Amino acid sequence: LTPSSGIFTGITIFGALLQSSGSGTIVVRGKGGNSSNNQRGINVSSAGKIQGGTSGVVIVEGTGGASTGVMNHGVHVIGANSIISSNGANVNVSGISGGSSGSFANFGVYVHGAGVISAGGSGTVTVMGTGGSATGSTNYGVYVTLLNASITSSGGNVSVIGQGGGSGFSGNNNGVYVSSTGIISATGDGTLTVMGTGGSGSGHSNYGILLSGSNSQITSINGNLSLIGQGGGSGVSFANYGIYFD
C-alpha cells in the first residue's frame, strides 16, 4: 500500500456497488496520496455501497496519505445511502489516518452525514480507527456525526475501538467521538463494546470517548453495553477525560 507521489484517494466507491451475494469474502484496501488535502485511503460516497453476502466477511482497510494538508482520513463513509454492510457476513472496518507536520483533522474512520457501517442478520461489526500523528489537533480515531450517521448491527455484536492521534502540542484528539445525531448501536441481542483512548499530545481535551449532543446515541437494545475510556494528554495537558457526555 505504498502510493506514488501525487494527489489521490486510494479507492473511491462513488455511487457504485461492490457486492458479494453469497459466502464470498470482500477485501478492500486503499492508501491515499501525499499531497494536498483529503488524501483518503477509502472513500464511500454519493450512495456508494460495499455490500457483503450472507456469510463470510467484509474487510475494509484504509490508510490516509502522509500529506501536510488536512482531512487525510483512513476510511470515510459520507452521505445518505452510502453504506458498508452485509446480509449476514461479519463486517470489519479499520482506518489509520494520515497527515504530517502541522496537518490536522485526520480521522481514522469517519462516518458522516447519514453514512452507515452495519451488518445484517447475526453478522458482527468491528470498527477500529487511529487518528493521525501530526502536530495539528482534532485527529480522532473513530468519528460518527451528522444526520443519524451510524455504526450498527441487526442482531450481531458491535465493537468500536478508537485511538486519538496528535503529537507535540496537539490537543482535542479523541479516541471515539459521537456527535450531532451520530449513533453507535447494537440491536436484538447483540452486545456493544466501545473502547477509546485519547491522544498523547500536550494540548488539552484528549478524551477517550466523547458523546456530544442531545440526540447522539451509544445504545444497546438487549445485549450488554461496555464503555471503556482512557484519557490522553501529556506534560501540562488538562481536561483529558476517559468518558465524557456533553
Side-chain angles (χ1 to χ4, degrees):
L1 294 177
T2 302
S4 302
S5 297
I7 302 172
F8 55 85
T9 293
I11 295 174
T12 296
I13 309 293
F14 184 84
L17 172 64
L18 175 62
Q19 182 177 35
S20 172
S21 58
S23 60
T25 294
I26 294 178
V27 179
V28 182
R29 294 190 176 102
K31 185 172 183 178
N34 59 6
S35 300
S36 191
N37 302 324
N38 296 302
Q39 304 300 281
R40 296 163 293 193
I42 295 172
N43 176 243
V44 181
S45 59
S46 297
K49 293 178 176 63
I50 299 174
Q51 182 73 41
T54 55
S55 62
V57 63
V58 177
I59 299 171
V60 179
E61 299 176 348
T63 303
S67 169
T68 58
V70 301
M71 304 191 75
N72 304 295
H73 311 313
V75 176
H76 190 191
V77 184
I78 177 173
N81 299 312
S82 296
I83 299 170
I84 299 173
S85 188
S86 77
N87 292 317
N90 296 335
V91 174
N92 299 334
V93 177
S94 63
I96 300 174
S97 60
S100 61
S101 188
S103 178
F104 60 92
N106 302 295
F107 313 142
V109 176
Y110 186 22
V111 188
H112 176 212
V116 174
I117 297 174
S118 67
S122 60
T124 63
V125 177
T126 302
V127 176
M128 302 177 65
T130 303
S133 59
T135 58
S137 297
T138 61
N139 298 294
Y140 308 139
V142 177
Y143 187 23
V144 185
T145 187
L146 288 176
L147 301 175
N148 297 311
S150 63
I151 297 172
T152 188
S153 73
S154 297
N157 298 337
V158 176
S159 177
V160 178
I161 303 170
Q163 171 65 61
S167 60
F169 295 106
S170 179
N172 293 296
N173 298 299
N174 306 319
V176 176
Y177 185 18
V178 183
S179 74
S180 302
T181 71
I183 299 168
I184 297 177
S185 67
T187 63
D189 294 325
T191 63
L192 173 59
T193 302
V194 180
M195 301 176 62
T197 304
S200 60
S202 60
H204 64 83
S205 301
N206 300 289
Y207 303 128
I209 299 170
L210 175 59
L211 178 65
S212 178
S214 59
N215 293 314
S216 302
Q217 303 176 36
I218 298 176
T219 62
S220 178
I221 303 301
N222 295 316
N224 293 335
L225 169 62
S226 299
L227 300 180
I228 304 168
Q230 174 66 56
S234 61
V236 298
S237 180
F238 62 93
N240 300 297
Y241 300 103
I243 300 173
Y244 193 87
F245 293 165
D246 180 13

